[in-house]
Amino acid sequence: MSPLEVHAKSPAGRLLRAAWQPVARSIDLPKAGILALRMLSQDWTLWRSEAGIPVLAEAFCPHRGTRLSLGRVKGERLECHHHGICFDTFGWSNETFSMRSPPLQEQGGLIFAWLGEEEAAALPPIPELQGPVRVLAPESWPCSFYSRIQNSLDIRHVAHAHRRSGLATLLSEGWESKVEEEDSGFVLHLSAGGKELPKIRFVMPNRLEFFTPVSPELGWRKHIVWRVPQDAVHCVSFTVASLPAAEAPAAPLARPFAPSQIAELGEALLEGRLQWEELKTEHLTEVEDYVALCGGPATLWPSEEEPGLAALHARWRGAFPETG
Ligand code: FES
Ligand SMILES: [Fe+2]
């Protein structure tokens, strides 16, 4: 079994199912809306009743296996397209059919699901989710969730993959990183050119908190990011940006898991339809990461080469026993 497998019986899949995972933005699921999802190697239907209750249901109707995302919402029920069997917000029909409907909670503009079989734990408090936030559009990439987590802790790649950035210039003069362990993860402290840089926090199993430069006037803003596997080789990132003040809400997306502009530019570069010199985008850093992570086979990286990666791998080692 690949160590990156995330189905219910895999070690990584079990770890990820023992935590609340974001599965969609609240704004992308209007009343009576339905989304088809793939999360942790399982297909799901996410729908919202006309009263506003979000429901996660299995992808396929238990009657004859039709995709429930092609049905419609009628009041507080989801009606299957094929023969019209209706399911309530607990996954029950009036007849003999029922299905699993994992617990959901909405907070900070995200819908979180508990996909494990065990009883759901409390949603961990994240103070930033109570303040003014902007939930960025989900980013689906064809790479492992673990590659994306590693990338956020991999300082060495910044000087190469992001060599056009101001941070690369700073790091080229030499840098140092230090890990401070916490109960639920660790904090990576970074300094370069005699300056302390914003720290990066990792929280098991798949959450990161870091600061991103916005503009010289606005400075840095804090991002809270979940890298959620859709399966072993696809993941979606959900990012909550904590804002200094309230901003207009982001616009809803009709197809939230479709390839973003970043993915389209990345694919054009990977296929040779676009050259670096022709690339014009305000998401340069993300496109640089996309081509670094999504152009080849999914693998675990040898991770002991710098403190943040070693600390990450130490936390996950139980799920990746064969990698030592
Ligand atoms: S397949 Fe859904 S009602 Fe028959
Ligand atoms: Fe990067």
Side-chain angles (χ1 to χ4, degrees), residues 111-125:
I111 301 172
F112 292 86
W114 182 268
L115 299 176
E117 297 288 343
E118 290 79 36
E119 202 182 323
L123 189 65

Side-chain angles (χ1 to χ4, degrees), residues 148 151-152 154 157-158 161-162 285-286 288-290 292-293:
R148 287 220 72 189
N151 185 254
S152 300
D154 174 1
H157 90 288
V158 176
H162 307 305
T285 306
E286 290 87 348
E288 288 168 337
D289 278 334
Y290 186 98
L293 302 179

Side-chain angles (χ1 to χ4, degrees), residues 254-282:
R255 281 175 292 282
F257 302 104
S260 66
Q261 189 200 56
I262 294 164
E264 278 168 8
L265 290 171
E267 287 300 324
L269 282 163
L270 287 170
E271 291 168 14
R273 291 181 279 114
L274 185 71
Q275 305 296 320
W276 281 121
E277 306 75 59
E278 300 167 309
L279 178 63
K280 284 193 182 54
T281 172
E282 59 191 37

Side-chain angles (χ1 to χ4, degrees), residues 43-300:
D43 294 307
W44 301 99
T45 307
L46 181 67
W47 62 281
R48 197 188 288 280
S49 75
E50 286 179 11
I53 299 170
V55 185
L56 190 62
E58 290 179 10
F60 306 107
C61 178
H63 180 225
R64 292 286 180 267
T66 294
R67 272 208 175 255
L68 287 166
S69 56
L70 296 172
R72 59 183 173 147
V73 175
K74 283 168 82 178
E76 301 309 287
R77 294 172 158 259
L78 175 66
E79 182 189 77
C80 177
H81 161 76
H82 200 161
H83 308 94
I85 289 179
C86 287
F87 298 90
D88 67 15
T89 55
F90 302 99
W92 288 85
S93 81
N94 280 339
E95 299 146 45
T96 41
F97 300 106
S98 68
M99 60 185 160
R100 196 177 152 216
S101 185
L104 296 182
Q105 287 201 46
E106 274 189 289
Q107 199 179 106
L110 284 171
I111 301 172
F112 292 86
W114 182 268
L115 299 176
E117 297 288 343
E118 290 79 36
E119 202 182 323
L123 189 65
I126 303 177
E128 286 83 358
L129 298 194
Q130 313 301 331
V133 293
R134 187 181 186 88
V135 189
L136 309 189
E139 272 291 326
S140 299
W141 289 15
C143 69
S144 148
F145 77 101
Y146 200 71
S147 293
R148 287 220 72 189
I149 295 175
Q150 288 181 116
N151 185 254
S152 300
L153 295 163
D154 174 1
I155 308 305
R156 198 167 61 123
H157 90 288
V158 176
H160 301 275
H162 307 305
R163 62 183 167 279
R164 302 159 189 85
S165 70
L167 187 55
T169 315
L170 195 58
L171 295 176
S172 66
E173 294 156 23
W175 54 272
E176 261 180 62
S177 66
K178 205 172 75 212
V179 167
E180 180 195 342
E181 295 287 346
E182 295 186 324
D183 287 347
S184 54
F186 59 87
V187 175
L188 185 66
H189 297 273
L190 182 63
S191 58
K195 260 176 53 182
E196 222 21 59
L197 295 173
K199 59 192 178 201
I200 304 169
R201 171 172 278 118
F202 169 72
V203 181
M204 275 294 277
N206 59 334
R207 189 171 102 215
L208 290 152
E209 298 177 7
F210 50 78
F211 290 82
T212 299
V214 184
S215 67
E217 307 81 61
L218 294 173
W220 301 67
R221 89 182 167 187
K222 186 170 184 179
H223 280 189
I224 300 164
V225 183
W226 288 259
R227 311 286 195 203
V228 185
Q230 293 167 303
D231 57 32
V233 292
H234 296 86
C235 73
V236 55
S237 292
F238 291 99
T239 301
V240 176
S242 175
L243 306 174
E247 261 184 31
L253 292 167
R255 281 175 292 282
F257 302 104
S260 66
Q261 189 200 56
I262 294 164
E264 278 168 8
L265 290 171
E267 287 300 324
L269 282 163
L270 287 170
E271 291 168 14
R273 291 181 279 114
L274 185 71
Q275 305 296 320
W276 281 121
E277 306 75 59
E278 300 167 309
L279 178 63
K280 284 193 182 54
T281 172
E282 59 191 37
H283 304 293
L284 178 62
T285 306
E286 290 87 348
V287 176
E288 288 168 337
D289 278 334
Y290 186 98
V291 298
L293 302 179
C294 301
T299 54
L300 278 173

